[in-house]
Amino acid sequence: VAKPRTKDYGRLAVLTQWRTEPRILFSLPRDAFTPKPKVASAVVAFAPRDRPEPPCDVSTLERVTAAAFGQRRKMLRASLRQITPDAEGLLEALGLDPKARAEELEIGDFCRIANALEAQKNELA
């Protein structure tokens, strides 16, 4: 349920929020576990979406988020180079800042990147 521009926002948040509508049902105190963990816990419900929006290819979205969040502190132009040679040009063409970091993007931005990569792939085929 993490939101963009927060430290908890990552690949799991992007992929689950794209496919589902997650919501926290309730929190569990640390004392509920033995041994007592260092982190708080919560029970989360995931309601599947009929159609994830915006539409994109799930495998391409997974590749994009893996590359973007795999090197979290790197700028997108560097982290996306592993899946496209002109990451900076692709991001600029989409109106995205190549110097941004993955946690700054909205879910729709990741879908736009995935769709642009799919379009590139289809042009080469």
Side-chain angles (χ1 to χ4, degrees):
V1 297
K3 300 296 179 210
R5 292 168 287 290
T6 64
K7 69 178 183 95
D8 294 326
Y9 188 68
R11 184 172 186 235
L12 181 62
V14 171
L15 294 173
T16 57
Q17 290 176 40
W18 179 68
R19 293 194 100 151
T20 69
E21 292 183 44
R23 62 186 175 94
I24 295 176
L25 296 179
F26 56 90
S27 296
L28 295 167
R30 293 181 177 114
D31 295 338
F33 301 94
T34 303
K36 190 163 127 178
K38 295 180 181 178
V39 297
S41 298
V43 174
V44 180
F46 298 92
R49 295 182 187 274
D50 290 333
R51 278 186 230 125
E53 290 292 330
C56 68
D57 179 72
V58 66
S59 63
T60 306
L61 181 61
E62 288 173 345
R63 280 185 33 233
V64 169
T65 56
F69 287 103
Q71 299 177 331
R72 187 176 186 95
R73 295 307 309 151
K74 285 199 171 187
M75 292 181 227
L76 286 170
R77 67 180 180 198
S79 60
L80 295 180
R81 273 195 201 119
Q82 60 186 296
I83 57 176
T84 182
D86 186 19
E88 188 164 359
L90 176 90
L91 293 165
E92 287 175 345
L94 294 171
L96 298 171
D97 182 1
K99 295 178 185 174
R101 296 185 183 348
E103 63 267 15
E104 297 174 45
L105 297 187
E106 303 283 337
I107 295 167
D109 296 329
F110 286 106
C111 292
R112 290 176 41 223
I113 294 168
N115 287 333
L117 289 171
E118 281 296 309
Q120 281 181 350
K121 184 172 81 172
N122 291 336
E123 287 174 6
L124 298 174

